[in-house]
Amino acid sequence: MGIGGCAVDEIVLSPAEFIDAWAAHEREAARLALAASRLDSRGEWAADGSVSMAAWLRNQCRMSNRDANALVHRGRFLD
């Protein structure tokens, strides 16, 4: 078994399919960044004792410090 339940051999995309998949990935990343920004502004992340949105992302989503801070920053920028 490979990634996402697919055999690695099945993960072959044409150039056009790759571009479409990357665009979908970027749209979803932007949606998640905006959601993180809105969650940050409501402060709901503090319910579990976290001291910041980035700390909550590190603990709950197993993100690195760098990735958590980048997501928070991107979300604020997009919002």
XYZ file of all heavy atoms in Angstrom:
600
model
N 0.854 -1.173 0.000
C 0.000 0.000 0.000
C 0.898 1.235 0.000
O 1.927 1.271 0.643
C -0.867 -0.052 1.251
C -2.139 0.749 1.272
S -3.421 0.728 0.011
C -3.936 -0.920 -0.220
N 0.474 2.236 -0.666
C 1.266 3.451 -0.780
C 0.623 4.612 -0.044
O 0.086 4.472 1.040
N 0.633 5.747 -0.668
C 0.133 6.987 -0.087
C -1.372 7.081 -0.284
O -1.872 6.906 -1.385
C 0.831 8.194 -0.740
C 2.337 8.103 -0.503
C 0.291 9.499 -0.218
C 3.154 9.063 -1.310
N -2.110 7.376 0.786
C -3.556 7.578 0.685
C -4.323 6.372 0.190
O -5.354 6.515 -0.441
N -3.815 5.167 0.444
C -4.517 3.971 0.032
C -4.257 3.566 -1.407
O -4.830 2.616 -1.892
N -3.408 4.314 -2.128
C -3.083 4.002 -3.520
C -1.695 3.383 -3.587
O -0.809 3.733 -2.834
C -3.076 5.269 -4.375
S -4.646 6.100 -4.473
N -1.532 2.488 -4.517
C -0.199 1.976 -4.781
C 0.616 3.109 -5.403
O 0.087 3.927 -6.161
C -0.272 0.779 -5.724
N 1.861 3.187 -5.062
C 2.709 4.265 -5.561
C 2.730 4.291 -7.084
O 2.783 5.359 -7.695
C 4.144 4.144 -4.986
C 5.066 5.178 -5.575
C 4.108 4.265 -3.469
N 2.616 3.139 -7.711
C 2.611 3.062 -9.172
C 1.404 3.772 -9.782
O 1.435 4.167 -10.939
C 2.613 1.606 -9.648
C 3.881 0.868 -9.249
O 4.858 1.536 -8.849
O 3.888 -0.364 -9.338
N 0.324 3.918 -9.008
C -0.889 4.554 -9.514
C -0.815 6.082 -9.492
O -1.690 6.752 -10.021
C -2.094 4.106 -8.686
C -2.403 2.629 -8.808
C -3.503 2.194 -7.866
O -4.180 3.052 -7.276
O -3.675 0.979 -7.709
N 0.199 6.639 -8.859
C 0.307 8.086 -8.725
C 1.109 8.628 -9.909
O 2.278 8.976 -9.801
C 0.964 8.485 -7.397
C 0.192 7.871 -6.239
C 1.012 10.003 -7.261
C 0.829 8.071 -4.894
N 0.459 8.644 -11.050
C 1.052 9.167 -12.272
C 0.056 10.155 -12.856
O -1.089 9.807 -13.130
C 1.358 8.048 -13.288
C 1.917 8.625 -14.572
C 2.318 7.032 -12.690
N 0.490 11.394 -13.005
C -0.375 12.436 -13.554
C 0.253 13.013 -14.802
O 1.477 13.125 -14.893
C -0.566 13.565 -12.528
C -1.174 13.188 -11.184
C -1.157 14.389 -10.252
C -2.578 12.671 -11.356
N -0.593 13.414 -15.710
C -0.101 14.151 -16.879
C 0.278 15.550 -16.401
O -0.114 15.969 -15.306
C -1.199 14.241 -17.941
O -2.221 15.125 -17.501
N 1.018 16.300 -17.202
C 1.335 17.676 -16.797
C 0.085 18.510 -16.501
O 0.041 19.236 -15.513
C 2.106 18.225 -18.000
C 2.757 17.017 -18.594
C 1.733 15.921 -18.422
N -0.952 18.380 -17.308
C -2.179 19.151 -17.083
C -2.869 18.706 -15.792
O -3.377 19.541 -15.038
C -3.130 18.995 -18.269
N -2.883 17.399 -15.533
C -3.486 16.893 -14.301
C -2.709 17.380 -13.076
O -3.296 17.709 -12.047
C -3.539 15.367 -14.303
C -4.516 14.791 -15.295
C -4.361 13.288 -15.446
O -3.231 12.759 -15.303
O -5.387 12.639 -15.712
N -1.384 17.419 -13.200
C -0.560 17.898 -12.086
C -0.855 19.363 -11.793
O -1.014 19.756 -10.639
C 0.933 17.709 -12.387
C 1.794 18.083 -11.220
C 2.088 17.154 -10.244
C 2.272 19.375 -11.076
C 2.869 17.504 -9.141
C 3.043 19.736 -9.987
C 3.339 18.796 -9.020
N -0.959 20.180 -12.834
C -1.268 21.605 -12.656
C -2.622 21.768 -11.984
O -2.774 22.568 -11.047
C -1.208 22.345 -14.002
C 0.246 22.415 -14.492
C -1.822 23.736 -13.904
C 0.387 22.857 -15.924
N -3.616 21.005 -12.417
C -4.943 21.068 -11.800
C -4.898 20.623 -10.339
O -5.520 21.245 -9.472
C -5.943 20.205 -12.565
C -6.300 20.774 -13.922
O -6.056 21.981 -14.165
O -6.835 20.003 -14.748
N -4.161 19.561 -10.064
C -4.047 19.058 -8.691
C -3.334 20.083 -7.806
O -3.716 20.300 -6.653
C -3.305 17.724 -8.672
N -2.293 20.717 -8.332
C -1.569 21.727 -7.557
C -2.466 22.930 -7.270
O -2.454 23.463 -6.149
C -0.305 22.173 -8.285
C 0.496 23.077 -7.408
C 0.606 24.429 -7.497
C 1.267 22.699 -6.273
N 1.397 24.906 -6.495
C 1.818 23.867 -5.728
C 1.545 21.480 -5.662
C 2.639 23.855 -4.596
C 2.364 21.474 -4.539
C 2.893 22.640 -4.026
N -3.257 23.358 -8.234
C -4.180 24.476 -8.026
C -5.195 24.125 -6.941
O -5.498 24.955 -6.070
C -4.879 24.846 -9.330
N -5.703 22.895 -6.956
C -6.652 22.457 -5.929
C -5.973 22.436 -4.556
O -6.573 22.844 -3.551
C -7.210 21.078 -6.276
N -4.746 21.985 -4.526
C -3.972 21.970 -3.280
C -3.799 23.390 -2.729
O -3.989 23.625 -1.535
C -2.613 21.320 -3.542
C -1.631 21.507 -2.444
N -1.680 20.798 -1.273
C -0.579 22.348 -2.340
C -0.687 21.185 -0.494
N -0.014 22.119 -1.112
N -3.464 24.324 -3.582
C -3.267 25.712 -3.163
C -4.573 26.342 -2.669
O -4.578 27.093 -1.690
C -2.684 26.540 -4.306
C -1.240 26.190 -4.620
C -0.303 26.548 -3.479
O -0.317 27.717 -3.030
O 0.438 25.657 -3.027
N -5.685 26.040 -3.338
C -6.987 26.545 -2.879
C -7.317 26.006 -1.494
O -7.786 26.736 -0.613
C -8.096 26.172 -3.871
C -8.145 27.055 -5.108
C -9.407 26.804 -5.924
N -9.538 25.418 -6.369
C -8.986 24.923 -7.484
N -8.265 25.707 -8.272
N -9.165 23.671 -7.811
N -7.082 24.721 -1.280
C -7.357 24.121 0.028
C -6.421 24.695 1.093
O -6.849 24.946 2.219
C -7.209 22.594 -0.048
C -7.570 21.873 1.222
C -9.031 22.001 1.623
O -9.869 22.443 0.808
O -9.353 21.659 2.771
N -5.172 24.925 0.746
C -4.226 25.523 1.694
C -4.670 26.930 2.086
O -4.590 27.317 3.255
C -2.819 25.547 1.101
N -5.171 27.696 1.131
C -5.664 29.045 1.419
C -6.909 28.977 2.302
O -7.059 29.768 3.240
C -5.972 29.788 0.122
N -7.788 28.024 2.026
C -9.000 27.862 2.836
C -8.642 27.519 4.278
O -9.209 28.076 5.225
C -9.889 26.772 2.235
C -11.259 26.652 2.877
C -12.084 25.557 2.219
N -11.666 24.232 2.637
C -12.025 23.660 3.802
N -12.795 24.297 4.634
N -11.621 22.448 4.091
N -7.675 26.631 4.465
C -7.250 26.265 5.808
C -6.552 27.425 6.518
O -6.738 27.620 7.721
C -6.330 25.040 5.757
C -7.015 23.724 5.440
C -5.986 22.629 5.194
C -7.962 23.335 6.553
N -5.765 28.199 5.783
C -5.103 29.361 6.386
C -6.136 30.382 6.857
O -6.016 30.940 7.954
C -4.124 29.984 5.395
N -7.150 30.633 6.043
C -8.218 31.552 6.452
C -8.973 31.012 7.659
O -9.313 31.763 8.585
C -9.186 31.797 5.294
C -8.723 32.802 4.252
C -9.635 32.760 3.039
C -8.679 34.195 4.850
N -9.240 29.721 7.668
C -9.930 29.110 8.804
C -9.083 29.245 10.068
O -9.608 29.541 11.148
C -10.232 27.641 8.515
N -7.777 29.058 9.951
C -6.881 29.209 11.095
C -6.898 30.650 11.596
O -6.918 30.902 12.804
C -5.459 28.794 10.727
N -6.921 31.608 10.685
C -6.958 33.016 11.071
C -8.236 33.343 11.827
O -8.220 34.043 12.856
C -6.842 33.908 9.832
O -6.968 35.264 10.192
N -9.347 32.831 11.353
C -10.628 33.107 12.010
C -10.708 32.411 13.366
O -11.226 32.975 14.332
C -11.766 32.690 11.092
C -11.596 33.350 9.710
C -12.734 34.170 9.242
N -12.366 34.974 8.081
C -12.690 34.698 6.835
N -13.379 33.613 6.545
N -12.336 35.516 5.849
N -10.165 31.190 13.449
C -10.100 30.491 14.729
C -9.200 31.252 15.699
O -9.524 31.395 16.882
C -9.586 29.065 14.512
C -9.538 28.132 15.713
C -10.930 27.902 16.278
C -8.908 26.811 15.304
N -8.104 31.765 15.179
C -7.176 32.556 15.987
C -7.872 33.792 16.550
O -7.761 34.095 17.736
C -5.975 32.961 15.135
C -4.909 33.718 15.914
O -4.836 33.562 17.145
O -4.146 34.454 15.272
N -8.623 34.500 15.718
C -9.260 35.743 16.168
C -10.358 35.489 17.205
O -10.621 36.345 18.041
C -9.828 36.514 14.974
O -10.902 35.824 14.390
N -10.966 34.309 17.177
C -12.001 33.974 18.167
C -11.400 33.455 19.470
O -12.084 33.398 20.483
C -12.966 32.948 17.595
C -13.862 33.517 16.508
C -15.019 32.598 16.167
N -14.609 31.226 15.903
C -14.412 30.714 14.689
N -14.571 31.461 13.621
N -14.060 29.446 14.545
N -10.142 33.041 19.432
C -9.467 32.575 20.644
C -9.907 31.217 21.145
O -9.573 30.842 22.266
N -10.605 30.458 20.318
C -11.092 29.146 20.753
C -9.965 28.160 21.041
O -10.158 27.190 21.777
C -12.053 28.571 19.711
C -13.321 29.375 19.570
C -14.235 28.833 18.482
O -14.199 27.622 18.219
O -14.970 29.643 17.901
N -8.810 28.418 20.488
C -7.655 27.547 20.697
C -7.223 27.528 22.165
O -6.577 26.591 22.615
C -6.480 27.985 19.812
C -6.234 29.459 19.846
C -6.706 30.374 18.948
C -5.526 30.203 20.829
N -6.318 31.643 19.312
C -5.587 31.567 20.464
C -4.832 29.867 21.975
C -4.992 32.580 21.202
C -4.233 30.873 22.711
C -4.318 32.209 22.329
N -7.571 28.546 22.936
C -7.127 28.645 24.328
C -7.858 27.675 25.259
O -7.437 27.480 26.396
C -7.301 30.073 24.818
N -8.936 27.069 24.806
C -9.734 26.188 25.663
C -8.922 25.025 26.226
O -9.222 24.528 27.304
C -10.947 25.668 24.901
N -7.898 24.587 25.504
C -7.104 23.464 26.006
C -5.845 23.923 26.735
O -4.972 23.120 27.040
C -6.755 22.497 24.872
C -5.696 23.021 23.922
O -5.372 24.222 23.988
O -5.194 22.227 23.109
N -5.739 25.221 27.004
C -4.595 25.747 27.745
C -3.455 26.236 26.870
O -2.425 26.660 27.399
N -3.616 26.189 25.565
C -2.569 26.689 24.673
C -2.410 28.196 24.857
O -3.374 28.893 25.156
C -2.903 26.388 23.210
O -2.903 25.010 22.980
N -1.197 28.685 24.672
C -0.933 30.107 24.868
C -1.003 30.911 23.578
O -0.978 32.135 23.616
C 0.432 30.340 25.557
C 0.427 29.725 26.946
C 1.565 29.763 24.723
N -1.105 30.221 22.448
C -1.218 30.906 21.153
C -1.801 29.941 20.131
O -1.837 28.723 20.361
C 0.152 31.390 20.663
O 0.969 30.291 20.308
N -2.234 30.513 19.020
C -2.751 29.686 17.933
C -1.653 28.770 17.407
O -1.890 27.590 17.131
C -3.301 30.580 16.813
C -3.850 29.827 15.628
S -5.294 28.858 16.076
C -5.676 28.097 14.528
N -0.441 29.296 17.279
C 0.671 28.477 16.786
C 0.952 27.318 17.745
O 1.209 26.192 17.305
C 1.911 29.328 16.577
N 0.894 27.577 19.047
C 1.107 26.507 20.028
C 0.012 25.451 19.905
O 0.277 24.247 19.990
C 1.139 27.080 21.439
N -1.222 25.894 19.705
C -2.330 24.959 19.533
C -2.112 24.090 18.296
O -2.313 22.874 18.335
C -3.646 25.728 19.436
C -4.842 24.852 19.334
C -5.509 24.258 20.365
C -5.512 24.469 18.124
N -6.562 23.520 19.867
C -6.588 23.632 18.505
C -5.316 24.741 16.784
C -7.457 23.073 17.568
C -6.186 24.184 15.855
C -7.242 23.360 16.253
N -1.690 24.718 17.191
C -1.428 23.960 15.958
C -0.306 22.946 16.176
O -0.376 21.820 15.672
C -1.065 24.913 14.813
C -2.215 25.738 14.248
C -1.677 26.858 13.366
C -3.189 24.863 13.487
N 0.727 23.343 16.912
C 1.822 22.408 17.193
C 1.306 21.205 17.978
O 1.648 20.060 17.667
C 2.940 23.109 17.963
C 3.752 24.043 17.130
C 5.029 24.476 17.838
N 4.788 25.053 19.144
C 4.564 26.348 19.378
N 4.537 27.207 18.370
N 4.373 26.795 20.608
N 0.488 21.471 18.990
C 0.011 20.384 19.856
C -1.084 19.547 19.208
O -1.062 18.321 19.294
C -0.505 20.955 21.179
C 0.598 21.554 22.010
O 1.729 21.093 21.968
N 0.280 22.594 22.750
N -2.056 20.185 18.612
C -3.221 19.466 18.095
C -3.036 18.910 16.691
O -3.639 17.900 16.345
C -4.457 20.379 18.118
C -4.830 20.853 19.507
C -5.171 19.697 20.432
O -5.853 18.750 20.048
N -4.700 19.780 21.668
N -2.246 19.587 15.875
C -2.068 19.164 14.475
C -0.681 18.606 14.201
O -0.339 18.343 13.044
C -2.360 20.337 13.539
S -4.039 20.950 13.702
N 0.116 18.487 15.256
C 1.470 17.941 15.140
C 2.317 18.694 14.117
O 3.056 18.102 13.334
C 1.429 16.456 14.814
C 0.783 15.632 15.881
C 0.803 14.185 15.516
N 0.319 13.390 16.634
C 0.314 12.087 16.637
N 0.759 11.407 15.608
N -0.138 11.452 17.681
N 2.164 20.019 14.104
C 2.942 20.845 13.183
C 4.267 21.234 13.833
O 4.354 21.318 15.057
C 2.195 22.126 12.836
C 1.025 21.957 11.937
S 0.383 23.597 11.528
C -0.732 23.179 10.239
N 5.240 21.485 12.997
C 6.484 22.056 13.505
C 6.219 23.512 13.875
O 5.228 24.114 13.429
C 7.581 21.983 12.443
O 7.271 22.860 11.361
N 7.095 24.087 14.670
C 6.973 25.496 15.036
C 6.958 26.364 13.789
O 6.132 27.285 13.656
C 8.123 25.892 15.962
C 7.945 27.268 16.531
O 6.875 27.621 17.016
N 9.000 28.066 16.474
N 7.831 26.063 12.856
C 7.922 26.842 11.616
C 6.625 26.770 10.811
O 6.100 27.783 10.351
C 9.094 26.325 10.786
C 9.305 27.060 9.506
C 10.486 26.491 8.765
N 10.696 27.214 7.526
C 11.640 26.929 6.680
N 12.490 25.958 6.917
N 11.762 27.622 5.567
N 6.087 25.561 10.627
C 4.851 25.394 9.850
C 3.655 26.054 10.534
O 2.819 26.673 9.870
C 4.553 23.919 9.608
C 5.516 23.276 8.619
O 6.198 24.013 7.876
O 5.581 22.029 8.598
N 3.570 25.924 11.857
C 2.461 26.528 12.594
C 2.496 28.049 12.471
O 1.476 28.686 12.189
C 2.515 26.112 14.060
N 3.661 28.634 12.665
C 3.778 30.087 12.549
C 3.520 30.559 11.120
O 2.895 31.603 10.920
C 5.147 30.558 13.041
C 5.231 30.546 14.548
O 4.327 31.004 15.237
N 6.305 29.996 15.070
N 3.970 29.794 10.147
C 3.741 30.167 8.747
C 2.248 30.134 8.418
O 1.745 31.024 7.729
C 4.514 29.228 7.820
N 1.528 29.135 8.920
C 0.092 29.045 8.661
C -0.647 30.220 9.303
O -1.509 30.836 8.664
C -0.472 27.724 9.172
C -1.961 27.509 8.917
C -2.263 27.453 7.425
C -2.443 26.251 9.609
N -0.303 30.541 10.536
C -0.937 31.677 11.215
C -0.655 32.969 10.451
O -1.565 33.767 10.204
C -0.459 31.776 12.681
C -0.917 33.072 13.327
C -0.964 30.579 13.484
N 0.580 33.153 10.042
C 0.959 34.365 9.302
C 0.218 34.437 7.964
O -0.320 35.478 7.590
C 2.472 34.393 9.080
C 2.942 35.558 8.294
N 3.012 36.834 8.831
C 3.337 35.671 7.013
C 3.445 37.667 7.901
N 3.654 36.989 6.795
N 0.185 33.323 7.232
C -0.503 33.280 5.929
C -1.986 33.579 6.096
O -2.581 34.317 5.308
C -0.291 31.907 5.296
C -0.767 31.808 3.859
C -0.461 30.433 3.246
N 0.857 29.931 3.590
C 1.068 28.794 4.261
N 0.074 28.028 4.650
N 2.290 28.399 4.544
N -2.597 33.018 7.117
C -4.007 33.267 7.363
C -4.297 34.720 7.667
O -5.255 35.298 7.152
N -3.447 35.334 8.477
C -3.631 36.758 8.775
C -3.462 37.600 7.522
O -4.190 38.576 7.315
C -2.643 37.190 9.853
C -2.974 36.644 11.223
C -1.925 37.001 12.237
N -2.230 36.400 13.525
C -1.346 36.256 14.478
N -0.090 36.672 14.322
N -1.686 35.690 15.620
N -2.498 37.234 6.695
C -2.270 37.963 5.443
C -3.488 37.861 4.526
O -3.942 38.845 3.977
C -1.027 37.422 4.736
C -0.797 38.023 3.379
C -0.252 39.283 3.253
C -1.138 37.323 2.230
C -0.042 39.854 1.997
C -0.939 37.878 0.979
C -0.378 39.141 0.868
N -4.027 36.653 4.380
C -5.183 36.456 3.496
C -6.441 37.085 4.042
O -7.284 37.541 3.278
C -5.404 34.959 3.260
C -4.352 34.250 2.421
C -4.606 32.742 2.440
C -4.315 34.796 1.017
N -6.571 37.118 5.366
C -7.762 37.699 5.977
C -7.684 39.212 5.874
O -8.616 39.918 5.743
C -7.870 37.260 7.436
C -9.290 37.167 7.920
O -10.221 37.231 7.094
O -9.468 37.004 9.134
